[in-house]
Amino acid sequence: MTAIMKLCGVSVLAAAALTVLRGAGRNALFFVSAAAGVVILTGVIPSVAEIAGFVKNASERAGMTEYASVLLRAAGLAAVTDVTARLCRSSGDEHVASFVELAGKCEILALSLPYVSEILTLSLGLIGR
Amino acid sequence: MRRPIRAVAAFFAAFALSFTVSAAEFDFYGGETAGGADEYDLGGVIDELPDDVKDEAADIGAAADTGGRAAALREKLTPSYWWGALAGWLKDALFGAAPSLSAILGVLILSSLVRGLAGEGGTAATRTFSVLSSAAVALQVTRSTVSAVGTVTAYVSRLCAMMNAMLPVMNAIYISSGRLTQATVNSSALMTYITVTENLAVRFLAPVAGALPALVCASAVAGGVNLSPVVETLKKGTVIVITFLTAVFSFVMGIQSSLAAGADTLAARAVRFAVEGTVPIVGGAVSEAVTTVGASLSLIRKVSGAAGTVLILLILLPALIRICAVKLSLFVCRAAADMLGCEGPSAVMRTASDALSVFAALAVLSGVMFIFAVTLFMNSGTVA
C-alpha cells in the first residue's frame, strides 16, 4: 500500500511540475516525463518480479515451462516498446516512435520463430510419412 | 472248373484285403485335408496386434484347442470385463491429454492477462504479442493432433495387418466347411478393402492432416486468413468418400456372400447326391460324414469369428477413446479461449478438432466394416 502511495505521489508531483514548466519549452517537459516514468517503473519492478515468479511456478505445475519464459519475455518487450513509443510521441517524434514499435514487433516475432519452425517440422513429418 | 475260379477269387480277395482304406485319407476336394490344428491357429493373428492388446489377448492365442479358446473368450464377453477395460482406457486417455490441456489454458490466461494490461485495442507490440501467443497455442495443439493422428494411422495399419493374418484362418475354415466360392469372395473383397483403407489413411489423410497445422500456423502469424471453408470442405469430402466406400463394400460383400453361399450349397448337395448314388454300400455313410464334419466346424468358425471381433474391438476402442479425449481437451480450451476473447487460438483449436473428427470417422468405419466381415464369416452356415 505504501509503495503505491509513493508512486501516486511521484506522479502527482510530475504532473504538477509539467504544468508549471509548460511555458519553459518542450525539452523540459520531455525530461520531466521521462524521469517520472523511470521512477514509477523502478517502483513497480518488485511487483512485476513477484508476478513473474508466480507465473513461472504456475507454469512449472501446468507443464508449460517452455512457453512461460518466452511469453514473459515477449510481454516485457511489449511493455517496454509501448512505453518508449509513447514517450517519443509525447515529445513530438512520431517517426522515432514508429521505429521503436517496429523494432519491438520484430523482436517479438523473432521469439515466435522456434514455435513456427517446430510446427513446420511436425507438419512435414506427417506429410512425408 | 470250380477250382481255378475259387483260386482266382481267393487271389483277388487277398489282393483287395492287402490295402488299408481309411476315411481320413479320402479327400472330396483334392489336395491336403484341411483339418490340422495349425491352420486354425490364431497365433499369427495375435502377433500382429499392438503390445498392449497382445497382453490382453495372450490367453486366446495360447489356448491349445477350440475349447480352450472358447473358455478364454467367455471371460472377455462379460460386461464387467468391458467396463473395467473402458475405465482403464478412459483414465489413460484423459491423463494423457491433461498436460496439453493445462499448457494451452496457461498460454491463454497469460495472453489474456497481457492484453488486459495493455487496455482496449492494445498497442502494436501487444497485437504482435497476440500473434506469439497464437503460435504457442498452435504448437501445443499441433503436438496433440500429430500424436492423435499417429495413433489412428498406427491403429489402421495394425488392424489391416491383423485382418491380413486372419484371412488364411477364415479361408481355411471356409474351405473345410465346403464353402470354396465364399472363401474366394471373402478373400478378394476383404483384401481390396484392407488395401484401400490403409492407403486412404496413410497416403492421403495423414499428409492432409499434416498440411493443416502449417496452414493454421500461417493464418495465426499472418492474420486475416480464414481456413474454415477449407477444413469444412475437407471434412465433408473425406466423410463422404469413407462412407461411400464402406457402403459399397458392405453391400458387395453381403450380396456376394449370399450368392456364393447358395452356389456352395448347391455344389455340395450335388456331390453328396453323386456320392450316395455312385459309391456302393458306404455312399450314404460317407455323405452323412461330410455333414457331420461341417457341423463340427461350426464351433471352430464361431469361436474364431468371436475372437476376431474381440481383437478388433481391443484395437479400435483405445484409439477411439484417445481421439475423443484429445477432442474434449480442445473443446474445453476453445471454450476458455472464447471466454477470454482469444480469437486466433480459438480458430486454431477449431481446425484441429475438425481434422480429428475425420480421423475418428475413418477409425470407426474401418472397425465396423471388419466386424461386419467377421460377422458374415461367423454366420455362414455349413453346406448341407
Side-chain angles (χ1 to χ4, degrees), chain B residues 115-135:
Chain B
R115 253 187 310 108
L117 286 172
E120 279 298 317
T123 61
T126 317
R127 287 191 291 276
T128 313
F129 177 84
S130 296
V131 168
L132 172 63
S133 66
S134 295

Side-chain angles (χ1 to χ4, degrees), chain A residues 3-69:
Chain A
I4 190 64
M5 294 296 289
K6 285 180 188 170
L7 292 175
C8 290
V10 167
S11 308
V12 168
L13 277 174
L18 283 167
T19 310
V20 167
L21 291 170
R22 211 168 286 281
R26 281 193 168 216
N27 294 343
L29 289 176
F30 174 76
F31 286 117
V32 169
S33 297
V38 166
V39 167
I40 292 169
L41 283 176
T42 310
V44 164
I45 284 175
S47 305
V48 170
E50 204 176 317
I51 294 171
F54 171 78
V55 168
K56 269 197 173 163
N57 287 336
S59 68
E60 272 164 23
R61 272 187 269 166
M64 52 171 277
T65 321
E66 59 176 309
Y67 301 118
S69 57

Side-chain angles (χ1 to χ4, degrees), chain A residues 62-63, chain B residues 87-104 140 143-145 147-148 151 318 321-330:
Chain B
W89 293 327
L90 263 171
K91 186 178 149 196
D92 291 340
L94 289 173
F95 278 113
S100 174
L101 170 81
S102 61
I104 295 173
Q140 191 59 43
R143 282 178 181 161
S144 302
T145 308
S147 169
T151 300
I321 288 172
R322 172 117 191 256
I323 293 179
C324 291
V326 172
K327 277 179 67 78
L328 179 66
S329 70
L330 287 176

Side-chain angles (χ1 to χ4, degrees), chain A residues 55 62-64 66-67 70-71 74-75 78 81-82 86 101 105 108-109 111-112 115-116 118-120 122-123 126-127 129, chain B residues 102-103 106-107 110 114 123-125 128-129 132 135-136 138-140 142-143 146 149-150 153 206-207 210-211 213-214 217:
Chain A
V55 168
M64 52 171 277
E66 59 176 309
Y67 301 118
V70 171
L71 288 171
T81 309
D82 184 33
R86 282 177 204 261
E101 279 179 349
K105 278 194 250 181
I108 294 172
L109 278 176
L111 286 175
S112 68
Y115 296 157
V116 174
E118 193 174 336
I119 291 172
L120 288 174
L122 289 169
S123 299
L126 265 184
I127 292 170
R129 198 178 279 195
Chain B
S102 61
V107 171
L110 200 55
V114 169
T123 61
T128 313
F129 177 84
L132 172 63
L139 173 60
Q140 191 59 43
T142 303
R143 282 178 181 161
V146 165
V149 166
T153 47
C217 178

